[in-house]
Amino acid sequence: MLTDARLVIVDDGEAQLCHDSLLYGWPRLRDWINTDLDGLLVRRRLGEAADAWDETGRPPSGLYAGEHLAAARSLMEDDGHTLPMRPVERDFLSASGRAERRKRNLLTTGVAVVLALAVLASTLAVVARRSQQETAERETVLIAGQLATQADIMRERDPQTAFRLSLAAYRTAEIPETRSSLYASYMSLAPADLKGSVDEPVLNVGFSSDSRVLGTSHRGGRVQLWDIARPAAPRKAAALDLDDAAVIAFHPRSRLLAAQTRKRLTVWDIADPRKPKRLAERGTSEGIAFTLAFSPDGRTLASGSEKGRLRLWDVTAPARPEPRAERTVAAMELISLSFSQDGRLLVTGSGRSGAESATAAQVKLWDVRDPGRPVELSTGTTDSVMAVAFHPRRALVAATGARGRLAWWAVEGGRRLRPVAADSFGDSWGVGDRMPSLSFRRDGTMLAAADSSGHLRLRRVGEPESSLYSGNGLSALSAAEPVQAVAYSPDGTLIASGDVRGAVRLWPERPAAPPVDGVPATPDAGTSAISEDGGLLVTGTNDVDYNRTTHVWDVSERSEPRRAFTLPEPWEARYFLPGGRQDVLVAHRWTENTKDHVFRLWEFGSGGGPKHGEDIPFTAEDAVTGVSPDGRLLAIGEANARRIELWDVSDVRAPVRRAVIDAPVAFGSGGVWFTGSDAMATVEDSTHLRFWDVRDPAHPRKAARVEDGALVTSAAYLHAARLLITENVAEEVSLWVLTDLDRPRELSGLPAAAGGYYPVGKDVLMTVLSDGTAQFWDVRNPRRPERTRTLRFDRPIASVDLSPDGDRAVTSSPYRIWGIGADGQWRTPSLATLAAARQVELFPDKRPLMAVVPENKILDNGDQTYLLGLDTDSIYDELCRTHPLSVDKVQWESLFPHLGHRRSCD
C-alpha cells in the first residue's frame, strides 16, 4: 500500500522513504525512528566502515575495537528493532572480534611477562643482597681472624698492642678465633706504654704514696709526671724542666716529690700532678747525683753522688729542707742507697764492676737514727754493685751488678752485714747483663731488677735464706731496649720500667682475669676439686722448698674470689665428697719418715668456719683412696700391699670403719675405685680387675674377676648403663655389662687408641683413634653399639672431660671448649681454644665458669688458677671498661695497610 502510493521504495530487501511528509503524517513511524535513533546511527556507521573495509581488501587496520566494537555488537543482541545486517557487516564484526581477542591475549601475555620479569628481578635483587651480605660477613670473619692471629703473634714482644688487637678482633666478629684471642689477653699481662714522653734515657722511676702518680726522670733534665688513676689508660700530666739530669724520690706518706740535680735539690707539691708547685730549692756542692730516697717516716732524705758523696737532709718541714750531713763515704761513685723498714739503718752501694776497678765494690751499713751523725756499722764486698735494696719486712739486703751478679746479706743484730752463702746456682741472677736498678714488692715476696739485655727481671723471694739464690721463681717481662730503671708501686699492683730510649712501661702485677693462688690437684675417680654447687674450689700451693698448702676458695663472686679457708699445715686436700650433700672436703696428713697417715673430713656449712669430724688414722707406707658416687663410703688402701679399710662417712662428724678387706692395692689413682654406690673394684696382679659387693659395707663380698681387665692401662665405667670399658692390646676396647657383679658379660669391641675412651653422656661413649678421629657410640643397647657421629680433630686427643651438667666438654691438647646440645651432639666448631693452658676444670651450669691454669707462671707469683667466665661478651665489656684504648692509627697503618682502622671498644 505504501509502495503503491509511492511513499516507500523497496529495492533489494530494503525500504526507503520517498518523502519527508510521511514523518510528520505518521506519528507512530516517528516514534519508531526516535526510539531506534542511536541504533540507526551505529548501524549507518557500521555499514560505512564495513563497506570501506571491504573495498580496501579487508585489512586488519580498519577494524573496530573498544567502544565502537561493543556498540556494533549490541545491534546483534537487540530484540529486532534494527534492520538485519548485511553479510559484509557481519564479516566486519567477526574480524573485529577476532582482532580484539588477539590484542587482549597479547596484552595479557605481555603483562604476565612483565610481572614475571618483575618478580624475577625482585628475586635476583634479594639474592644479590643476600649474597652481598654473606660476602660482607665472610670478609668480616676473615678480618676478625686476621686481627686475632696478629694479636697472638705479637703477644710476647708487644703485649699491649696484642691486647688491643684482641679486643678489636672480638668487636669485629665473635668467632672461635676471636674468643680464643680474648681469653689469651684476659690471662696475659698487658702493659701501658706511656706515649709522648721524652726521647732521652730514663734515669729512674717512682710512684706517689697512693700509687696514683708516676714520675720518670730523663737525661737532659726533664721529669715527667703521669696520672695513673686508671693504670691501663694513663694520662700525661705536668713536666718539670730542671737545669740538669735529676734523680727523684716520692715521699712515702704524702704527694711530695724531691729531685736532686748536679747543683741543687728541689721539693715539689704534686697534689695535682697537672699543676705541681715548687715548695723549696736548695743549692748543693756540685756533683752528679745517682740515687735519692726518703726514709719510711718521710723525715729524712738521703742522696748519693759521684766521688762517694753521701748527703742527708732533714725534710720534716718539706718547704724548708735542712742539710744534716754530707761526707765522702766511698772511693767510687755512690750509686745506690736504701733505708731499712724502720728507717734506723741505711745501706749504700758503690763501685760498678770488679773487672774494671782494682777496688772491690762495697756495700755499707749505716746507723742513721741521728741523720746529723751517720755511723758506719759494717761493710760487705762483692765483684760488682749497681743497685742495692733493703727488704721491706726482713733484715736482708740485696745487691745486683754487672753480668747479672746477685748478692745477699743478712743484717745481724741491726749492726753487721753477714754474707748469705751462694748455693750451687751461683752468686748471680742466673740470666741477664748489667742490672742498674732494684725494687722489692711491698710484701717482700718479689724482687724486680732492670736488665740491660732488654728485660725486666723478677725473682721470687723465699722465706729461708737457703732459697735466696735459688733458680726457682725466676720470670721476666720483655722490653724493646735495655732497661735502666724499675720500681714497684707502694700498693704492689704495678711495676714501672724505663729504658735507654726513654720508653716507659707500666705493668700490672697480675692479668685482668681474677686469680686464686694454687692449682687444683688431680682428684680421685668420681670426685672433683669443685664443690657440687660450684661455690667452692680447692687448690694447693708450693713454696720454694715445695712445702704444700691447701686453700679453699669461695668463688660465688667470680670477679672477687675469697679465700674461705686454709688448711693448717701439714694437712692437704684434693677433692670434695660427691653425693650432693653439704660440701665436705677430704683432707690427709702424713708425718714425714713414718707410716702414720690421718684423714679428716671438713664440713663447710652456712654459718661460721668449717667444722671437722673425728680423725681417721691409717698406717701404711703409702695410702690411696676411693669414694663411692653417693659419698657414703670412703675406701683407704695401703699401696702395694693387701689391705683396704672401708669407712662409712655418712656422718661426717663420726666416721665409722665398717670392714677391712684383704685385697691388693695398686699404687696411684685407680688403686681403689667404685663402680656404683654398692660396688668396688681393685687391681689384682697388676692386670686383672676384681669386683667387690659392698651393699652391706660391714660384710663386703668378693665378686667376679675380669681377666686382663687392667692389662694395658686402665678402665672406665658408665654408671647409668652399668657398663665397664676395658682396654685390649690391639687398639680396641671391650664392653662389659655389670648388672650382675658375679657374672660380668663381655659383649662387643670398639676401635680406640690406647687410653682413648671416654664416657661423654648418660649412654654415650666416645672412642678416639690415633689419627685424631673421634667416634660417638650410643650404648643403650650394649650388645649392638650404634655409631652416631664421627668427628675428625686436627691432632690426637689426650683427655676429655664433661661439665657436671653435661652441656659442655673440654678436650686436650691444646685445651678446647665445646658446646653440647640437648640431644647430646657436640657443636662444631669448638667455642674457643685455650692454647696457653695446662689444666682446665669446668664448673656446674649454675656457675658458667672454668678454672684455668696457665702453662707458664705469670711474674712467678707461684702457681695460680684463673676464673674465666663462659660469657665472652661480659669479658669483652669488662676489659673495655678497664682498657678502653685502641691501637693508634699510625701503628695500625703499618700493621694492616690494606684495612681501615678499627677501634678496640665502642
Side-chain angles (χ1 to χ4, degrees):
M1 182 174 173
L2 294 176
T3 56
D4 294 342
R6 297 180 183 269
L7 295 175
V8 175
I9 298 175
V10 178
D11 182 20
D12 195 17
E14 294 182 355
Q16 294 182 353
L17 296 178
C18 294
H19 202 281
D20 291 342
S21 60
L22 185 60
L23 295 175
Y24 299 99
W26 193 359
R28 176 170 291 183
L29 176 61
R30 190 168 62 250
D31 293 338
W32 286 345
I33 291 174
N34 290 335
T35 300
D36 294 333
L37 180 60
D38 293 337
L40 292 172
L41 291 174
V42 171
R43 176 70 174 77
R44 175 185 293 178
R45 292 170 184 158
L46 172 62
E48 292 172 353
D51 291 339
W53 172 70
D54 185 60
E55 291 172 358
T56 56
R58 300 191 173 191
S61 59
L63 298 175
Y64 269 4
E67 294 179 357
H68 293 293
L69 179 60
R73 280 179 169 171
S74 67
L75 297 178
M76 303 176 64
E77 298 171 358
D78 66 2
D79 54 1
H81 294 293
T82 55
L83 296 176
M85 291 187 183
R86 295 177 297 155
V88 66
E89 293 171 343
R90 292 183 180 277
D91 292 344
F92 178 77
L93 286 179
S94 296
S96 296
R98 288 193 298 273
E100 179 79 0
R101 286 192 296 274
R102 283 195 302 272
K103 181 179 179 181
R104 187 166 55 247
N105 290 339
L106 289 173
L107 179 62
T108 301
T109 301
V111 171
V113 170
V114 170
L115 289 176
L117 290 174
V119 171
L120 179 60
S122 299
T123 302
L124 291 175
V126 171
V127 171
R129 283 196 298 270
R130 184 175 301 168
S131 177
Q132 185 178 13
Q133 182 178 0
E134 290 175 353
T135 300
E137 289 175 355
R138 284 195 296 270
E139 182 179 355
T140 299
V141 167
L142 289 173
I143 291 173
Q146 183 178 358
L147 298 182
T149 299
Q150 186 65 34
D152 294 338
I153 292 172
M154 300 181 68
R155 198 170 308 284
E156 182 174 354
R157 66 180 177 85
D158 189 353
Q160 175 184 261
T161 300
F163 193 99
R164 294 172 179 177
L165 284 177
S166 292
L167 293 177
Y170 189 84
R171 181 177 179 269
T172 300
E174 184 184 350
I175 57 176
E177 292 81 0
T178 60
R179 292 191 204 99
S180 303
S181 186
L182 188 71
Y183 277 132
S185 288
Y186 199 38
M187 293 191 295
S188 300
L189 289 178
D193 287 337
L194 277 56
K195 303 292 186 181
S197 190
V198 185
D199 293 332
E200 291 284 351
V202 177
L203 301 179
N204 64 332
V205 294
F207 290 89
S208 63
S209 58
D210 59 2
S211 302
R212 298 171 70 88
V213 178
L214 176 70
T216 62
S217 172
H218 300 258
R219 190 174 67 187
R222 169 67 62 88
V223 175
Q224 181 66 55
L225 300 179
W226 296 85
D227 180 349
I228 56 171
R230 295 181 68 187
R235 293 185 299 173
K236 193 174 182 179
L240 310 177
D241 289 313
L242 307 180
D243 59 348
D244 199 357
V247 287
I248 60 173
F250 282 87
H251 194 281
R253 298 185 180 182
S254 61
R255 281 200 182 181
L256 294 175
L257 174 70
Q260 175 73 61
T261 66
R262 179 190 295 266
K263 295 181 179 180
R264 58 180 48 87
L265 171 72
T266 53
V267 180
W268 300 80
D269 178 350
I270 57 164
D272 183 352
R274 296 169 300 176
K275 298 177 180 179
K277 300 176 182 178
R278 180 156 46 194
L279 299 179
E281 180 176 329
R282 294 288 186 271
T284 63
S285 57
E286 187 170 347
I288 298 173
F290 295 104
T291 180
L292 188 68
F294 278 97
S295 61
D297 63 4
R299 299 170 66 88
T300 303
L301 181 67
S303 69
S305 59
E306 62 180 336
K307 299 180 181 179
R309 299 296 288 176
L310 171 66
R311 294 188 186 93
L312 295 174
W313 298 80
D314 182 347
V315 286
T316 304
R320 297 185 300 277
E322 296 294 335
R324 296 298 305 278
E326 179 175 352
R327 66 178 60 179
T328 300
V329 299
M332 297 168 287
E333 293 90 343
L334 199 164
I335 59 175
S336 182
L337 53 78
S338 175
F339 281 94
S340 63
Q341 58 182 325
D342 59 7
R344 296 182 177 186
L345 301 175
L346 178 73
V347 63
T348 61
S350 57
R352 294 184 179 276
S353 171
E356 298 172 358
S357 174
T359 305
Q362 294 181 330
V363 172
K364 291 187 176 184
L365 184 67
W366 300 84
D367 182 342
V368 291
R369 285 177 292 181
D370 181 356
R373 288 188 293 273
V375 177
E376 181 179 343
L377 300 175
S378 182
T379 300
T381 60
T382 184
D383 288 344
S384 175
V385 172
M386 298 184 72
V388 295
F390 241 115
H391 193 285
R393 296 190 178 183
R394 297 163 62 187
L396 286 174
V397 171
T400 53
R403 299 184 299 278
R405 290 296 186 190
L406 172 66
W408 290 93
W409 289 269
V411 180
E412 293 185 334
R415 299 188 61 83
R416 188 174 74 88
L417 291 174
R418 176 179 57 81
V420 177
D423 62 6
S424 58
F425 195 73
D427 58 345
S428 74
W429 198 277
V431 290
D433 193 8
R434 298 170 60 253
M435 293 187 166
S437 179
L438 279 179
S439 180
F440 278 101
R441 191 165 64 182
R442 65 172 182 174
D443 60 4
T445 60
M446 296 293 292
L447 177 63
D451 182 2
S452 63
S453 67
H455 291 85
L456 191 161
R457 302 286 179 185
L458 296 118
R459 170 179 289 272
R460 192 176 176 193
V461 181
E463 192 65 32
E465 286 187 5
S466 60
S467 67
L468 294 178
Y469 290 98
S470 173
N472 299 321
L474 299 180
S475 54
L477 299 174
S478 62
E481 301 290 342
V483 181
Q484 288 281 94
V486 63
Y488 264 105
S489 64
D491 62 7
T493 63
L494 299 169
I495 312 171
S497 66
D499 66 29
V500 297
R501 290 294 182 91
V504 178
R505 273 190 169 177
L506 191 61
W507 293 87
E509 191 264 344
R510 67 168 183 82
V516 297
D517 292 336
V519 299
T522 303
D524 288 343
T527 65
S528 175
I530 302 168
S531 62
E532 294 204 347
D533 66 352
L536 297 176
L537 171 68
V538 59
T539 66
T541 58
N542 293 320
D543 62 18
V544 291
D545 290 328
Y546 302 102
N547 298 309
R548 188 167 181 81
T549 304
T550 298
H551 310 275
V552 179
W553 301 88
D554 180 346
V555 295
S556 53
E557 292 292 336
R558 181 187 71 86
S559 60
E560 297 181 359
R562 180 179 60 85
R563 195 189 311 263
F565 184 61
T566 297
L567 265 67
E569 294 183 3
W571 288 95
E572 298 180 12
R574 295 181 292 123
Y575 58 84
F576 292 93
L577 284 181
R581 299 183 299 166
Q582 194 86 358
D583 296 330
V584 177
L585 189 68
V586 179
H588 168 244
R589 185 190 71 199
W590 170 62
T591 303
E592 193 173 0
N593 299 322
T594 73
K595 295 184 179 182
D596 298 332
H597 298 262
V598 181
F599 292 86
R600 179 181 289 179
L601 304 180
W602 294 82
E603 185 175 24
F604 291 77
S606 55
K611 306 294 191 302
H612 67 81
E614 297 176 1
D615 288 350
I616 302 174
F618 190 77
T619 302
E621 288 285 351
D622 294 294
V624 297
T625 60
V627 182
S628 62
D630 60 5
R632 183 174 58 89
L633 295 177
L634 173 66
I636 307 174
E638 182 178 2
N640 299 322
R642 296 186 61 88
R643 182 167 64 94
I644 300 173
E645 293 186 3
L646 202 58
W647 289 78
D648 184 342
V649 293
S650 301
D651 183 352
V652 173
R653 302 292 179 86
V656 178
R657 187 174 68 181
R658 294 299 187 187
V660 177
I661 302 173
D662 180 15
V665 180
F667 181 78
S669 178
V672 180
W673 52 291
F674 283 79
T675 58
S677 298
D678 54 6
M680 189 176 70
T682 60
V683 178
E684 293 184 354
D685 301 328
S686 303
T687 57
H688 313 302
L689 284 178
R690 170 69 69 183
F691 295 100
W692 299 82
D693 185 338
V694 293
R695 283 176 291 184
D696 181 359
H699 301 90
R701 183 179 62 82
K702 182 183 292 188
R705 185 169 89 165
V706 173
E707 300 295 322
D708 297 331
L711 176 62
V712 181
T713 54
S714 59
Y717 185 71
L718 273 170
H719 288 272
R722 295 190 70 94
L723 198 63
L724 175 72
I725 303 102
T726 62
E727 188 173 341
N728 302 328
V729 293
E731 291 205 350
E732 185 182 73
V733 294
S734 295
L735 306 183
W736 300 76
V737 174
L738 292 185
T739 51
D740 185 349
L741 286 178
D742 295 314
R743 296 177 180 81
R745 289 175 293 160
E746 184 176 10
L747 299 177
S748 56
L750 300 175
Y757 44 95
Y758 309 96
V760 292
K762 182 179 179 182
D763 299 297
V764 181
L765 179 68
M766 176 183 181
T767 60
V768 180
L769 306 181
S770 300
D771 63 356
T773 300
Q775 298 177 331
F776 294 80
W777 302 88
D778 183 340
V779 293
R780 282 176 293 183
N781 182 0
R783 291 179 177 81
R784 295 183 179 84
E786 180 182 353
R787 186 170 62 191
T788 58
R789 191 179 185 187
T790 299
L791 292 179
R792 182 66 181 268
F793 296 92
D794 57 355
R795 65 190 71 189
I797 293 177
S799 67
V800 179
D801 291 296
L802 262 64
S803 63
D805 303 286
D807 66 338
R808 296 182 303 278
V810 56
T811 61
S812 69
S813 76
Y815 281 96
R816 287 177 176 156
I817 311 302
W818 305 81
I820 302 177
D823 57 356
Q825 294 291 319
W826 286 33
R827 301 190 186 100
T828 55
S830 62
L831 296 173
T833 299
L834 303 173
R838 64 180 170 94
Q839 185 177 347
V840 177
E841 304 289 341
L842 295 174
F843 281 68
D845 260 358
K846 61 188 70 175
R847 301 193 192 280
L849 303 175
M850 51 185 170
V852 180
V853 180
E855 185 68 41
N856 299 313
K857 299 176 184 179
I858 298 174
L859 291 190
D860 202 63
N861 291 323
D863 283 318
Q864 290 188 313
T865 299
Y866 293 91
L867 302 177
L868 307 188
L870 295 174
D871 181 1
T872 47
D873 283 347
S874 295
I875 292 175
Y876 172 80
D877 292 340
E878 175 188 340
L879 294 180
C880 280
R881 284 192 298 271
T882 57
H883 298 73
L885 302 182
S886 303
V887 177
D888 66 65
K889 293 184 178 180
V890 174
Q891 186 181 19
W892 183 280
E893 178 67 22
S894 67
L895 291 172
F896 310 106
H898 58 293
L899 296 178
H901 183 261
R902 290 175 180 261
R903 291 178 296 159
S904 296
C905 302
D906 295 326

